[in-house]
Amino acid sequence: MSAKPVTGTENRQTERQDNWWIEPLFTVLSLGLFGVYALWVAWNRQHFEYGPYLSPFYSIPLPGVHAKDLEWLPISPAFLVLWIPLGFRATCYYYRKAYYRAFFWDPPACAVPELRKAYKGERAFPFVLNNLHRYFWYLSVPVVAFLWYDAIRAFFFEDGFGVGVGSLIMLGNVILLSYYTFSCHAWRHLAGGCLNCFSKHKTRYTLWQRITRINEGHGFWAVISMLSVWFTDVYIRLCSMGTITDIRLF
Ligand code: FES
């Protein structure tokens, strides 16, 4: 059955009969819980390390600086870096769609009326800050580079090179984060935007084509990489607390 067109904000009904509310509900729960968890982890300052494994929340993007070197700081060192990935995700085009729908009901789904009477788009504070997304991308690239460094370090134990379950989890996490970061719309525009003729810029065209391929799944990379950061921290935390034992594969 096709939905009746909504003609004004006075019409608060929808004729959709499918479970359209599942997606916004999932978004509220996953983003809300992840946000609370990230702040708690940063505040907690404990159990962020186990052997060569380091929680992604405590990866400081400064050469030679480990989170433990910054224990003298009055605030958790995690806060020094947390604002970059959180700002990157909060301004991401995928997350914008997700939280406008789920948190602001703006609108919650296709053919379901929105709640707000006046629509200002992203021209008013604080949503105008979403235009900073490309700058958060510039800041996120070194963060991902340092996470690669941490993931490689996770294969070097006290007795030398080895592979533990945690090493593979950290490697998988940084691969997913790289897909998320490098499927970004702002990066795609940076690579192939503002060109009148692709044939005169073969390298940029090839790069743009490759980014476009992974950009098609950007929403998927956004969700799965968030879950993998969460999972990686939980795994390292539980190992550090002695709740589980990391298995050394060789
Ligand atoms: Fe999602 Fe840039 S659009 S990270």
Side-chain angles (χ1 to χ4, degrees):
M1 186 172 81
S2 61
K4 236 200 299 194
V6 174
T7 52
T9 51
E10 72 285 352
N11 185 349
R12 301 288 178 217
Q13 306 301 318
T14 179
E15 293 191 359
R16 279 185 68 167
Q17 299 193 350
D18 59 331
N19 294 326
W20 58 265
W21 48 270
I22 289 181
E23 190 180 332
L25 180 67
F26 170 77
T27 307
V28 166
L29 291 177
S30 58
L31 289 191
L33 287 174
F34 180 74
V36 170
Y37 183 80
L39 290 174
W40 175 78
V41 162
W43 190 264
N44 180 267
R45 299 179 84 156
Q46 286 180 330
H47 301 299
F48 57 82
E49 192 178 33
Y50 180 74
Y53 309 152
L54 178 67
S55 161
F57 288 101
Y58 282 80
S59 177
I60 308 295
L62 291 171
V65 179
H66 191 279
K68 281 210 160 151
D69 303 333
L70 302 172
E71 276 179 346
W72 52 272
L73 281 175
I75 60 157
S76 166
F79 285 120
L80 299 181
V81 66
L82 192 62
W83 62 276
I84 298 176
L86 284 188
F88 186 48
R89 285 183 189 260
T91 58
C92 161
Y93 297 1
Y94 166 76
Y95 282 102
R96 274 143 83 172
K97 180 190 108 179
Y99 65 71
Y100 281 144
R101 287 186 168 193
F103 286 89
F104 306 135
W105 228 239
D106 202 16
C110 294
V112 181
E114 53 196 314
L115 287 181
R116 280 203 293 189
K117 292 204 173 109
Y119 179 69
K120 292 202 181 74
E122 294 184 325
R123 288 171 296 143
F125 185 82
F127 299 111
V128 69
L129 297 178
N130 278 330
N131 293 306
L132 296 177
H133 183 61
R134 84 187 74 157
Y135 302 104
F136 276 110
W137 186 84
Y138 301 147
L139 292 168
S140 295
V141 171
V143 172
V144 172
F146 276 85
L147 286 169
W148 269 103
Y149 171 77
D150 292 339
I152 293 166
R153 249 199 41 191
F155 288 85
F156 291 89
F157 295 79
E158 274 183 2
D159 57 349
F161 180 80
V163 180
V165 171
S167 322
L168 298 179
I169 290 174
M170 286 187 67
L171 182 63
N173 178 50
V174 76
I175 289 173
L176 293 175
L177 281 170
S178 301
Y179 267 101
Y180 171 57
T181 306
F182 294 102
S183 62
C184 169
H185 295 273
W187 164 229
R188 181 170 172 264
H189 177 73
L190 199 67
C194 301
L195 293 178
N196 288 328
C197 185
F198 272 140
S199 60
K200 291 191 180 141
H201 302 272
K202 291 257 167 51
T203 311
R204 287 184 64 183
Y205 180 49
T206 306
L207 184 59
W208 177 83
Q209 279 181 310
R210 292 200 174 143
I211 299 167
T212 299
R213 237 172 274 148
I214 57 169
N215 174 264
E216 286 166 8
H218 188 61
F220 171 76
W221 300 121
V223 174
I224 202 83
S225 63
M226 180 186 78
L227 296 177
S228 85
V229 168
W230 204 340
F231 180 68
T232 305
D233 180 83
V234 168
Y235 183 83
I236 294 169
R237 186 163 297 278
L238 293 180
C239 287
S240 166
M241 291 165 69
T243 311
I244 58 173
T245 308
D246 180 54
I247 298 170
R248 182 84 175 263
L249 301 173
F250 63 86

